[in-house]
């Protein structure tokens, strides 16, 4: 999950290479929603080896209301720190 700031705009996506994908967003190489809103902070992620379950989880979270998404972030990242350095 990417954001631009604490309690800011949220983006949920799936990738098979988290480090590369977040780097692309940080460099504004990914056109679209994330570039438009400056979403460059990795604030939450889950890892899995099963892409089918990852896609199912993404769809589930995208249907959640904003408060549930914020709670999900704040359970493991209460200050909305950028987690990118922790994955490289």
């Amino acid at each position: 999950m990417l954001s631009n700031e604490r309690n800011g705009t949220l983006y949920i996506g799936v990738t098979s290479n988290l480090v590369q994908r977040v780097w692309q967003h940080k460099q504004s190489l990914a056109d679209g929603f994330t570039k438009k809103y400056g979403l460059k902070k990795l604030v939450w992620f889950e890892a899995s080896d099963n892409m089918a379950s990852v896609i199912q989880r993404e769809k589930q979270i995208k249907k959640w209301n904003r408060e549930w998404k914020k709670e999900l972030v704040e359970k493991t990242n209460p200050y909305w720190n950028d987690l990118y350095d922790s994955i490289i």
Side-chain angles (χ1 to χ4, degrees), residues 13-77:
V14 170
T15 182
S16 60
N17 187 333
L18 184 60
V19 173
Q20 177 182 334
R21 191 64 177 142
V22 174
W23 182 86
Q24 290 170 341
H25 286 293
K26 287 184 168 296
Q27 303 304 313
S28 297
L29 299 175
D31 286 334
F33 186 83
T34 57
K35 186 174 182 177
K36 179 179 179 179
Y37 292 97
L39 308 181
K40 298 182 179 185
K41 289 177 64 174
L42 177 65
V43 295
W44 179 85
F45 66 94
E46 276 183 358
S48 175
D49 292 331
N50 183 322
M51 189 54 82
S53 67
V54 169
I55 292 168
Q56 182 179 13
R57 177 76 165 146
E58 176 201 24
K59 289 178 182 180
Q60 175 190 38
I61 294 171
K62 281 185 173 185
K63 290 179 184 177
W64 288 4
N65 67 49
R66 180 172 172 74
E67 288 303 312
W68 294 355
K69 294 172 191 174
K70 285 172 45 179
E71 287 176 18
L72 183 63
V73 171
E74 291 177 354
K75 282 181 185 175
T76 57
N77 189 4

